[in-house]
Amino acid sequence: MADILTSPHVGADVQHGKEIDYIEAKKGIWSWMSTVDHKRLGLMYLWAVVANFIVGGIFALLVRITLLTGNHGDNYFISAELYNRFFTLHGIVMVFLVIIPSVPGALGNFVLPLMLGAKDVAFPRMNLASFWIYTLGNLMAIGAIALGMVDTGWTFYTPYSSTTNGPVSLMALAAFTLGFSSIFTGINFIATVHKLRAPGMGWFDMPLFVWGIYSTSLIQVLATPVVGITLVLLTIERAWGIGVFDASKGGDPVLFQHFFWFYSHPAVYIMILPGMAVISEIIPTFSAKTIFGYKAIAYSSVAIALIGFLVWGHHMFPSGQSQLASLIFSFLTFLVAIPSGIKVFNWLATMWRGNISLDTPMVWAVNFLLLFTIGGLTGIFLGALSTDIHLHDTYFVVAHFHYVMMGGTITAFLGGVHYWWPKMFGRMYNEGPAKIAAYLYFVGFNVLFLSQFVMGSNGMPRRYYNYLPEFQPWHVASTVGSWIIAAGLFLALGNLLASLRKPKEATDNPWKGTTLEWQTQSPPIEHNFHDQPVLHRAPYDYRTPVSVDREIH
Amino acid sequence: MSTHAHALDEHAHANHDPNLQHHFHTMQQQFDASKLGMWLFLATEILLFGVLFVGFGLSQARWPEEFKQAHHHLDRVLGAFNTVVLLVSSFTMVMAVHSAANSKRKATINYLVVTILCAVAFLVVKYFEYSHKIHEGLLPGQYFTYLANTDPMAKGNSVFFGFYFMMTGLHGFHILGGVVVLCILLAQTIKGRYSASYYTPVDLVGLYWHIVDLIWIYLFPLLYLIG
């Protein structure tokens, strides 16, 4: 027990066999449905997110198949109307039901208290409530799909959304409900970080994952109520026509855009910061090196969270807002690039002359670095006023935010799942198929979305059902890419699931990680640690050799 | 270091207050965490209402004459009465928290009862205000019949009442929710659940009640005192 924590009760008798872990501690479906254990809730979020990811992915594949040809009139085998609904549902499911809860809900719930050396989050019952509110919102969304689907796009722009038919109100209220779940999780994590850190763990001794989740939680708490009440206003507008957003009734449709993006731009950082948080864990572990610029990465998370509140207007350059406002929003948008760049350079500096082992989580992390960098840099194009006028509402935007949201967050999420899988389930997956899946994903991703950058810069508008023949080769490439990516994802999922049939043989610390979650059993016992761990060293300290079987260059 | 870990562990067990949850070490730590959580929740409340305030301000700038005209339908006397009622209830709530923190059960009960009565009085007054407006045809949107559609002032008037009902309605729901939790607090106080060593729920509900009052302090001049 030379490293981070002191765990006095781990004696010889415990070392031989594993103790009853949190999965086996209680039996029966009710013990899961009523659990307040953050680890079990993390798993429940994980399965919910995976299920929704498959649904959202199928919508995406259907959209791509429809776009294989471009001049098929309005009655192709997927009609124009159905196509509108599919891309809307792809967006709503992926944003509200997959990406936002993915890293915080699944990985954050599982790992954050362990990393802090705590027994649970600050408010375990609220954590359970948060999961069930998420489930309620999920059911409402499914209800809206069953009742005939929604064709507004995930942005619910008025006046279309306040006048179109279909269960828009139910879908808006589903998003409202999901927002509550997100707020409760955020409040819980902030209080946990403030009040439940292990003795000896100051703010700058926390793992960077915690900093990332903490910054995310700040945005969740401060931005989500705004979209919540906005969607309620939209629902009331639809029901009674009170004229807040409908110009014909005395309202202002651009006001809706402002309210929507006041949440939804910070929400982009709700989605990407947790991804960055995961990467900040994986890279030092697999480089066997202390992270470069710890404080810079920690502060840049908070900086992104704060600046992220002030840039929403860059979604609205062509909306008729004042030129001065656009200018300021554009300038502030450029500022966000600074903390993001700081992070990327620090990760690269961590890898530089490190003892890199390309295990599966690290492959995903490298995927993240490449894809996120493309996504981030193309964001600069869109933040620039004049180029945005040309690129606005084209496939360039679609490609850009997929590089960030999917290439960034989903990639990091998959890396995180592979990284903490042995901790969560006590089992190790097969490295071979897992790596092939990661490579397939990388190739498929670029085939899918690089072609969309080309289309977009040539003027292919987003969300169109028919298109000019000159775009067809690019669309075909893009669709083929979607199949490669799907193959990679199914391989990854199948490989992970297959590991669950194995005996629980994973060691406590298979990657030689230095943070606290690796200092307890895999899977952890119900109360996480036998005794309160006490920290006497900063995270990512590889100077004192933990393992001797790696060559140090 | 190991003795340190032991000391913490034993400390938690020695105290063994039945109100101490297993993942906290001390009652103070648990209290601080709960209070921080409540403050964060209140921040979300401010943002929730903030959207409506911003929307109201922008609409007022667009329809200044109409808003002025519409606000004459609101009864300033009733509004002022409700403001006083809520201010009194805020004071009795403070006293309830203070009494609970000093283990004065009877006083806590009395103050909570007065607070609940004030809240109910507020809602009764609001009920009469609402029914009067509904009677006059001042519901917003498609139910707005006070002015003919052709009247150029009709749109702006309707928008005003859209915000009026949204803002006071949302606030009313918060009062109603407050009444429910205050009644639960009262029942628990009668059972003797709270004392100087544990009165966290009273404290948290107190915070909530003050923010609900505070929002009304802003709503009253904004809606009732335009001209």
Side-chain angles (χ1 to χ4, degrees):
Chain A
M1 287 282 110
D3 47 312
I4 293 181
L5 83 149
T6 318
S7 200
H9 282 188
V10 181
D13 52 326
V14 186
Q15 300 284 23
H16 286 307
K18 285 186 176 179
E19 285 187 54
I20 294 175
D21 59 56
Y22 73 100
I23 298 174
E24 289 169 348
K26 293 193 178 93
K27 299 277 178 202
I29 183 95
W30 182 247
S31 79
W32 282 88
M33 289 172 65
S34 63
T35 187
V36 290
D37 182 346
H38 68 97
K39 300 181 289 304
R40 288 181 155 218
L41 284 164
L43 288 202
M44 285 154 76
Y45 270 111
L46 179 65
W47 297 127
V49 164
V50 168
N52 282 310
F53 187 60
I54 292 172
V55 174
I58 288 172
F59 283 127
L61 289 172
L62 288 169
V63 166
R64 283 309 328 158
I65 288 172
T66 314
L67 292 171
L68 266 176
T69 58
N71 50 350
H72 38 51
D74 286 350
N75 287 309
Y76 196 44
F77 84 105
I78 288 170
S79 69
E81 208 175 329
L82 209 52
Y83 168 82
N84 286 349
R85 291 172 182 180
F86 283 170
F87 76 65
T88 300
L89 291 172
H90 167 66
I92 291 175
V93 169
M94 286 303 194
V95 169
F96 293 112
L97 289 165
V98 178
I99 302 180
I100 290 180
S102 63
V103 177
L107 301 178
N109 257 320
F110 190 94
V111 183
L112 184 113
L114 286 169
M115 281 184 158
L116 296 174
K119 283 183 183 164
D120 209 322
V121 292
F123 315 116
R125 275 178 299 179
M126 193 164 90
N127 206 13
L128 176 66
S130 174
F131 176 79
W132 285 113
I133 292 169
Y134 168 77
T135 309
L136 174 68
N138 203 338
L139 290 175
M140 288 164 78
I142 293 170
I145 295 174
L147 284 173
M149 307 204 260
V150 178
D151 62 353
T152 57
W154 80 278
T155 48
F156 296 108
Y157 266 21
T158 54
Y160 186 70
S161 61
S162 59
T163 48
T164 180
N165 290 320
V168 177
S169 299
L170 183 58
M171 195 54 109
L173 290 177
F176 172 75
T177 310
L178 291 167
F180 265 101
S181 163
S182 181
I183 290 173
F184 283 170
T185 303
I187 290 178
N188 222 332
F189 286 169
I190 294 177
T192 308
V193 171
H194 273 272
K195 296 297 172 194
L196 287 175
R197 299 193 308 277
M201 186 186 280
W203 280 86
F204 293 108
D205 301 319
M206 297 193 307
L208 286 165
F209 180 79
V210 177
W211 273 101
I213 296 289
Y214 180 80
S215 310
T216 309
S217 302
L218 282 179
I219 315 176
Q220 282 178 312
V221 169
L222 295 178
T224 316
V226 173
V227 82
I229 192 72
T230 305
L231 292 172
V232 170
L233 280 173
L234 171 63
T235 308
I236 292 176
E237 177 89 58
R238 282 177 64 84
W240 296 311
I242 53 168
V244 179
F245 300 131
D246 191 336
S248 69
K249 298 187 176 79
D252 183 353
V254 179
L255 184 62
F256 178 87
Q257 296 185 22
H258 277 292
F259 284 160
F260 181 83
W261 288 114
F262 183 84
Y263 163 75
S264 293
H265 194 80
V268 171
Y269 301 111
I270 293 180
M271 298 185 240
I272 191 64
L273 277 171
M276 297 167 157
V278 172
I279 298 305
S280 300
E281 291 304 312
I282 295 179
I283 286 189
T285 300
F286 291 90
S287 305
K289 201 172 149 224
T290 308
I291 193 135
F292 187 90
Y294 173 95
K295 281 198 178 175
I297 296 182
Y299 281 130
S300 63
S301 291
V302 182
I304 289 174
L306 297 181
I307 303 171
F309 271 102
L310 306 172
V311 300
W312 78 88
H314 69 214
H315 293 270
M316 302 165 59
F317 287 154
S319 72
Q321 72 183 355
S322 86
Q323 287 297 311
L324 178 66
S326 289
L327 203 67
I328 294 168
F329 280 127
S330 174
F331 174 72
L332 290 168
T333 303
F334 283 8
L335 283 189
V336 183
I338 297 172
S340 309
I342 287 176
K343 278 178 187 290
V344 172
F345 285 119
N346 279 313
W347 291 323
L348 292 177
T350 306
M351 290 168 71
W352 185 62
R353 301 183 78 176
N355 185 14
I356 297 173
S357 36
L358 269 182
D359 295 314
T360 311
M362 189 60 168
V363 176
W364 285 106
V366 174
N367 280 355
F368 172 95
L369 285 179
L370 295 168
L371 299 176
F372 173 74
T373 303
I374 297 175
L377 289 176
T378 49
I380 306 274
F381 300 18
L382 294 169
L385 275 173
S386 48
T387 39
D388 181 69
I389 301 300
H390 174 62
L391 296 171
H392 192 89
D393 269 343
T394 67
Y395 267 59
F396 194 92
V397 178
V398 178
H400 156 69
F401 71 68
H402 278 89
Y403 264 92
V404 179
M405 297 289 91
M406 189 177 189
T409 310
I410 294 291
T411 307
F413 174 65
L414 288 165
V417 168
H418 282 90
Y419 181 54
W420 284 298
W421 189 265
K423 183 54 68 184
M424 288 173 143
F425 297 99
R427 296 164 169 104
M428 189 58 89
Y429 45 83
N430 284 334
E431 279 276 318
K435 279 189 199 170
I436 294 172
Y439 294 136
L440 272 178
Y441 174 94
F442 183 76
V443 172
F445 191 96
N446 285 306
V447 174
L448 172 50
F449 291 114
L450 270 181
S451 49
Q452 297 193 359
F453 278 129
V454 181
M455 278 192 268
S457 52
N458 287 333
M460 170 77 208
R462 66 191 288 200
R463 291 178 173 173
Y464 274 34
Y465 179 68
N466 289 303
Y467 53 80
L468 297 173
E470 69 213 55
F471 293 117
Q472 184 156 22
W474 298 108
H475 270 295
V476 172
S478 190
T479 303
V480 171
S482 76
W483 297 335
I484 302 174
I485 221 172
L489 287 169
F490 275 111
L491 180 59
L493 180 66
N495 187 44
L496 287 173
L497 292 179
S499 77
L500 293 180
R501 299 168 66 93
K502 293 186 186 174
K504 289 184 186 172
E505 285 176 346
T507 53
D508 293 352
N509 191 0
W511 316 117
K512 310 272 186 282
T514 56
T515 41
L516 282 180
E517 81 272 25
W518 301 110
Q519 313 302 323
T520 185
Q521 174 185 299
S522 293
I525 56 169
E526 198 179 5
H527 294 309
N528 294 351
F529 302 94
H530 286 282
D531 293 282
Q532 175 63 60
V534 177
L535 198 82
H536 28 135
R537 198 180 298 167
Y540 317 114
D541 185 355
Y542 283 92
R543 286 181 196 121
T544 318
V546 181
S547 73
V548 286
D549 56 356
R550 282 184 181 171
E551 290 178 35
I552 297 163
H553 296 284
Chain B
M1 270 304 162
S2 65
T3 46
H4 185 34
H6 266 297
L8 274 170
D9 217 36
E10 273 158 24
H11 182 59
H13 288 293
N15 253 356
H16 225 277
D17 190 309
N19 294 307
L20 183 65
Q21 292 173 282
H22 80 285
H23 56 294
F24 289 109
H25 293 300
T26 61
M27 290 299 280
Q28 188 62 40
Q29 186 192 23
Q30 176 173 310
F31 179 75
D32 289 348
S34 306
K35 204 145 177 171
L36 177 63
M38 193 66 199
W39 276 109
L40 290 167
F41 175 71
L42 298 185
T44 71
E45 291 284 13
I46 288 172
L47 282 151
L48 196 71
F49 279 93
V51 170
L52 296 172
F53 279 100
V54 170
F56 181 90
L58 290 170
S59 302
Q60 189 181 8
R62 172 182 301 215
W63 311 102
E65 287 310 309
E66 286 82 351
F67 269 44
K68 210 177 208 177
Q69 185 192 35
H71 102 284
H72 286 303
H73 293 284
L74 306 185
D75 191 326
R76 287 179 182 188
V77 178
L78 288 181
F81 174 77
N82 261 351
T83 310
V84 174
V85 164
L86 281 191
L87 283 174
V88 171
S89 81
S90 246
F91 172 72
T92 55
M93 190 69 227
V94 173
M95 294 312 289
V97 176
H98 180 72
S99 316
N102 289 294
S103 303
K104 292 179 186 157
R105 196 173 69 95
K106 274 216 171 122
T108 315
I109 293 172
N110 290 338
Y111 284 123
L112 283 177
V113 168
V114 178
T115 312
I116 293 170
L117 287 177
C118 285
V120 171
F122 178 91
L123 288 172
V124 169
V125 171
K126 208 77 223 154
Y127 169 78
F128 283 114
E129 283 191 83
Y130 273 6
S131 34
H132 181 63
K133 290 191 185 55
I134 294 168
H135 183 72
E136 282 193 312
L138 291 169
L139 275 177
Q142 64 198 66
Y143 303 105
F144 189 78
T145 52
Y146 185 78
L147 296 173
N149 268 341
T150 46
D151 191 316
M153 300 288 270
K155 255 187 207 172
N157 272 276
S158 169
V159 171
F160 175 84
F161 280 102
F163 277 104
Y164 170 80
F165 278 104
M166 268 304 291
M167 295 171 100
T168 58
L170 188 66
H171 180 260
F173 272 117
H174 279 80
I175 297 274
L176 203 61
V179 171
V180 173
V181 285
L182 283 167
C183 286
I184 296 171
L185 274 191
L186 182 62
Q188 296 287 331
T189 311
I190 291 169
K191 279 192 212 155
R193 280 277 282 122
Y194 307 126
S195 65
S197 70
Y198 177 72
Y199 62 100
T200 314
V202 190
D203 201 67
L204 299 188
V205 172
L207 285 177
Y208 168 81
W209 193 249
H210 296 319
I211 204 82
V212 173
D213 289 356
L214 190 66
I215 289 167
W216 178 258
I217 303 290
Y218 282 90
L219 281 180
F220 172 60
L222 195 72
L223 295 167
Y224 288 70
L225 307 176
I226 289 178

